[in-house]
Amino acid sequence: MTIKRKKVALIDYGMGNLHSVAKALEKVGVDVDWVKDAEKLGNYERMVLPGVGAFRDCMSALKATGLDEAITEQLAQGMPFLGICLGMQALMTRSYEFGSYQGLDLIAGEVKAFPETHPDRGFKIPHMGWNDVVFAKDQAIHPVLAPLQNQQVYYVHSFYCAPENPEHILAASSYGDWPFACGIGRDNIVAVQFHPEKSQKAGLTMLDAFVKWKP
């Protein structure tokens, strides 16, 4: 008997390390298509929005292709969504990365820079390398992030998400003495600031949990 593999849309808006994300998803047993056409997004069971680069360029590309509206439409219909790095930041209301730019506003909040004094105190920007994933003791751990308990993951970022609603913060980390949300979500949305595709076994286990997640 042939087991049907799940089909995942890797949203391709011209930015990000799609190759490594696609390979990581394929390793956990799904079929991955790079999707540029907004009208085709509804043909998939799950969607992943990766990203590396500038927030402004990301939003411009999503709007120019109509992928911004397609993402919102599929989320409203219940499709599970994973945002990675810039793909997480795009969910917010607004970013202050080199200006002020409107995001998808799917999770209320802002994208902010680490303090300007950080480098003077020995914390280079961007925050790069392995770091913790910390869960609140009084909050149930999200099923997609559960495999990351007591694990470290790989970060590369200069900006971080600050959701308005604390309940939308699923996990946290800190760079020096500055805490930030490393996992956010609500309903059928989950997103992470780190790179699961660069986080070796811990990252693959998390991607596997996303593929199996039933929000």
Side-chain angles (χ1 to χ4, degrees):
M1 183 178 70
T2 302
I3 298 175
K4 184 181 177 183
R5 290 162 63 97
K6 292 180 180 176
K7 295 175 63 178
V8 174
L10 189 60
I11 299 170
D12 180 5
Y13 56 100
M15 297 173 65
N17 50 341
L18 273 70
H19 281 284
S20 55
V21 176
K23 285 186 176 298
L25 285 165
E26 287 166 355
K27 281 185 179 179
V28 300
V30 296
D31 291 330
V32 181
D33 287 346
W34 298 24
V35 178
K36 295 182 179 181
D37 187 341
E39 294 183 359
K40 293 182 179 178
L41 194 57
N43 297 336
Y44 296 85
E45 297 172 57
R46 303 168 185 254
M47 53 182 163
V48 177
L49 180 65
V52 176
F55 186 97
R56 177 192 64 184
D57 297 340
C58 167
M59 290 307 306
S60 294
L62 290 175
K63 290 177 181 178
T65 56
L67 282 165
D68 59 336
E69 294 182 357
I71 291 168
T72 301
E73 180 181 341
Q74 294 307 317
L75 284 172
Q77 294 183 24
M79 184 185 293
F81 171 99
L82 172 64
I84 298 173
C85 197
L86 183 58
M88 165 173 160
Q89 296 177 2
L91 294 171
M92 307 304 285
T93 307
R94 182 164 296 278
S95 172
Y96 294 101
E97 180 182 355
F98 310 121
S100 177
Y101 302 99
Q102 184 75 21
L104 294 171
D105 197 24
L106 292 166
I107 293 183
E110 298 177 335
V111 181
K112 301 179 178 181
F114 285 112
E116 293 181 0
T117 57
H118 242 42
D120 295 335
R121 295 189 291 121
F123 305 110
K124 294 180 180 180
I125 304 296
H127 169 218
M128 183 181 298
W130 295 87
N131 205 341
D132 296 327
V133 178
V134 180
F135 298 99
K137 293 180 180 179
D138 59 348
Q139 185 177 340
I141 297 177
H142 192 282
V144 174
L145 303 183
L148 302 177
Q149 295 176 80
N150 305 312
Q151 300 291 320
Q152 287 200 324
V153 291
Y154 193 84
Y155 295 85
V156 183
H157 64 119
S158 301
F159 294 79
Y160 65 93
C161 294
E164 289 181 7
N165 186 344
E167 292 184 1
H168 292 159
I169 300 175
L170 305 179
S173 188
S174 61
Y175 187 34
D177 57 358
W178 200 262
F180 63 90
C182 71
I184 64 173
R186 64 169 179 82
D187 305 323
N188 51 320
I189 298 173
V190 63
V192 294
Q193 183 60 68
F194 53 86
H195 288 273
E197 77 280 6
K198 296 181 180 179
S199 299
Q200 299 177 2
K201 184 178 179 180
L204 289 176
T205 307
M206 192 212 90
L207 291 175
D208 183 59
F210 168 70
V211 168
K212 295 174 179 174
W213 177 42
K214 297 179 180 179

